[in-house]
Amino acid sequence: MMPSRILVIQTAFLGDAILATALLENLHQAFPDAQLDFLVRKGHEGLFTKHPFLNQVLVWDKKKDRYRGLWKLLLFIRKQRYEHVITVQRFASTGFLTAFSGAKNRIGFDKNPLSFAFTATATHDLESGLHETSRNHSLIEFLVQTPVLRPRLYPTPADFEKIKGFQQQPYICVAPASVWFTKQYPADKWAAWLRSVPDSVAIYILGSPDDKTLGEDILKKAHRTGRSENLCGRLSFLESAALMKTAQMNFVNDSAPMHMASALNAPVCAVYCSTIPDFGFGPLSENSRVLEITDSLPCRPCGLHGHRACPEGHFRCAVEIKESQFLDVLRESLARE
């Protein structure tokens, strides 16, 4: 029997929510008439404004009334009478929502502490280099027999209209921030190679309001005479995605903007400092490049998510990535156009 109501849960970081949209794409393709809902953490719901096939987006505010909010969510979820509830996280909180959802099929990874109460589990494999979208897809393989689809976001016509003024000349986007320090290419290094970008190419810095100071610092040190603007905090998630779609190239860290580019099939160059693509979070765009240190380091990778500071104190995995590597990618991108 075709499922009528499905809930997918991903309340982790922004990039994780974007990658989970690959599940939404596959589920919608397989069951176009099903009611498909998505649960995300507060602040990420803007990714799904006027999404064409999501019925509703549920929101968990992890900072305000965290546990009371979780209980209210559970009561709401139980009232929806979902046939399938799928959590792509390995944490007890989302395992709790799944295990006690009342759904006929309660699905999650075997490493979730409440997996004993699930009706189906999948092995969470971090060792083989499998991409996160494929790991997530393993949760629904018994439901969906089609290949893994790319994650996808849906900027609206209004989003594309908002960014028209920035498209008057060829441009690149730079998203220099990250939640984790050791995933973030240093500001001085961004500025150093941006000085060499031709004046005929505009530079737009993308990020949240919290990234505004970082963006200003980079542009100040870049000493450019060509057009450059700090758009941190000035564009919504979907407006930023719309701008990335038609960029000559998007230069990003191993962070959410990389996955945003993948979800628009936008050209992307991902900079890997302390982490590595083999963790399974690499870019998926057809025009994708990866930049990382050319020499091997015994301390790299130093963790799945990175750290607040370099554990060794030298941060060689970032500072030894050369400006010439960026400029080679830029030249190729401009030549392709």
Side-chain angles (χ1 to χ4, degrees):
M1 187 169 63
M2 301 284 283
S4 58
R5 299 173 73 98
I6 305 171
L7 173 65
V8 176
I9 301 174
Q10 177 50 285
T11 65
F13 292 109
L14 184 67
D16 299 306
I18 296 172
L19 290 176
T21 63
L23 277 183
L24 303 180
E25 294 293 317
N26 273 109
L27 288 167
H28 177 68
Q29 183 186 71
F31 311 112
D33 297 325
Q35 175 183 303
L36 188 56
D37 295 347
F38 196 25
L39 170 59
V40 299
R41 75 191 297 170
K42 185 174 179 59
H44 296 171
E45 62 271 24
L47 283 169
F48 309 104
T49 302
K50 296 184 179 180
H51 193 287
F53 59 75
L54 277 180
N55 171 65
Q56 60 181 333
V57 178
L58 311 185
V59 178
W60 178 27
D61 190 341
K62 291 188 173 185
K63 295 182 178 179
K64 182 180 179 182
D65 293 330
R66 179 184 178 94
Y67 297 109
R68 184 182 299 177
L70 192 67
W71 178 252
K72 287 181 179 178
L73 264 176
L74 177 64
L75 296 179
F76 181 83
I77 288 169
R78 290 180 64 86
K79 287 180 181 178
Q80 303 306 299
R81 299 187 180 278
Y82 292 108
E83 187 171 354
H84 298 287
V85 172
I86 305 161
T87 177
V88 298
Q89 293 176 259
R90 292 163 287 144
F91 303 120
S93 55
T94 57
F96 167 75
L97 293 176
T98 305
F100 298 103
S101 63
K104 177 182 177 181
N105 296 299
R106 305 174 301 280
I107 306 161
F109 286 114
D110 54 0
K111 293 181 180 178
N112 193 293
L114 277 82
S115 62
F116 65 87
F118 298 168
T119 57
T121 60
T123 300
H124 192 271
D125 175 16
L126 272 174
E127 306 300 324
S128 65
L130 196 67
H131 197 276
E132 177 76 353
T133 52
S134 296
R135 278 195 288 262
N136 291 344
H137 190 77
S138 67
L139 295 167
I140 62 169
E141 283 179 335
F142 74 100
L143 283 172
V144 175
Q145 277 71 53
T146 51
V148 183
L149 295 177
R150 183 186 289 121
R152 190 170 178 188
L153 296 174
Y154 293 87
T156 67
D159 296 320
F160 285 106
E161 184 66 29
K162 175 70 179 289
I163 55 93
K164 274 187 175 180
F166 302 113
Q167 297 174 306
Q168 304 307 307
Q169 67 185 92
Y171 65 91
I172 62 172
C173 295
V174 177
S178 173
V179 173
W180 304 98
F181 172 81
T182 59
K183 276 188 175 184
Q184 184 169 297
Y185 193 60
D188 288 351
K189 300 284 286 183
W190 282 116
W193 81 264
L194 287 175
R195 293 187 197 113
S196 301
V197 175
D199 286 347
S200 59
V201 178
I203 299 173
Y204 300 126
I205 309 294
L206 300 180
S208 71
D210 292 339
D211 305 325
K212 184 176 180 180
T213 300
L214 173 63
E216 290 175 350
D217 183 46
I218 290 171
L219 291 182
K220 182 179 178 181
K221 291 176 178 176
H223 303 299
R224 267 181 54 84
T225 55
R227 181 176 183 180
S228 56
E229 290 193 49
N230 180 14
L231 301 181
C232 294
R234 291 171 56 185
L235 300 179
S236 70
F237 288 139
L238 290 180
E239 289 165 354
S240 295
L243 188 64
M244 294 175 81
K245 184 174 177 62
T246 52
Q248 303 295 120
M249 181 55 70
N250 296 285
F251 293 90
V252 300
N253 296 302
D254 173 17
S255 57
M258 173 176 63
H259 306 309
M260 193 175 289
S262 294
L264 271 295
N265 197 22
V268 62
C269 177
V271 186
Y272 282 80
C273 300
S274 67
T275 54
I276 56 174
D278 282 350
F279 284 151
F281 297 93
L284 294 170
S285 298
E286 292 172 5
N287 182 4
S288 298
R289 294 290 301 271
V290 168
L291 294 188
E292 53 192 335
I293 189 172
T294 54
D295 297 327
S296 62
L297 290 174
C299 56
R300 180 178 183 262
C302 60
L304 179 62
H305 294 297
H307 299 276
R308 299 295 180 188
C310 172
E312 300 295 322
H314 52 64
F315 205 23
R316 287 179 57 197
C317 61
V319 298
E320 292 185 10
I321 299 175
K322 300 176 176 63
E323 296 167 29
S324 61
Q325 294 174 255
F326 288 88
L327 294 173
D328 286 345
V329 173
L330 179 61
R331 291 189 192 101
E332 289 178 17
S333 302
L334 296 178
R336 182 181 293 110
E337 184 67 19

